[in-house]
Amino acid sequence: MDIAALSMAMSQVAVRQQASTQVLSISMDQAKQQGEQMAKMLETSASPHLGGSIDLRA
C-alpha cells in the first residue's frame, strides 16, 4: 500500500469517527432535553395533591 492510499484510508477513518461522535452528541443532547421535559411535566401535573398520602384501614 502506498503512502497516498494509506493517507486517504486514515482520513476516511477520521471522518467516520468525527461523524459518529457528532451523531452521539446529538443523541445525548436530545435525551437530556427529553429528560428535562419529563421532569417539568411531572412537576406541573394536573393534580399535584394526589398521591401524597395513603388511606389505610386496620
Side-chain angles (χ1 to χ4, degrees):
M1 186 180 262
D2 62 347
I3 300 288
L6 183 59
S7 175
M8 286 178 54
M10 290 176 62
S11 178
Q12 288 175 348
V13 169
V15 168
R16 286 183 187 151
Q17 286 178 337
Q18 289 173 351
S20 179
T21 302
Q22 188 66 24
V23 168
L24 180 61
S25 176
I26 291 169
S27 177
M28 288 174 56
D29 289 343
Q30 287 177 345
K32 180 180 176 185
Q33 185 179 26
Q34 288 174 348
E36 290 171 352
Q37 289 172 347
M38 179 67 76
K40 183 178 178 182
M41 182 182 72
L42 291 172
E43 287 175 359
T44 61
S45 66
S47 302
H49 61 283
L50 294 178
S53 61
I54 299 174
D55 294 334
L56 299 175
R57 291 188 181 176

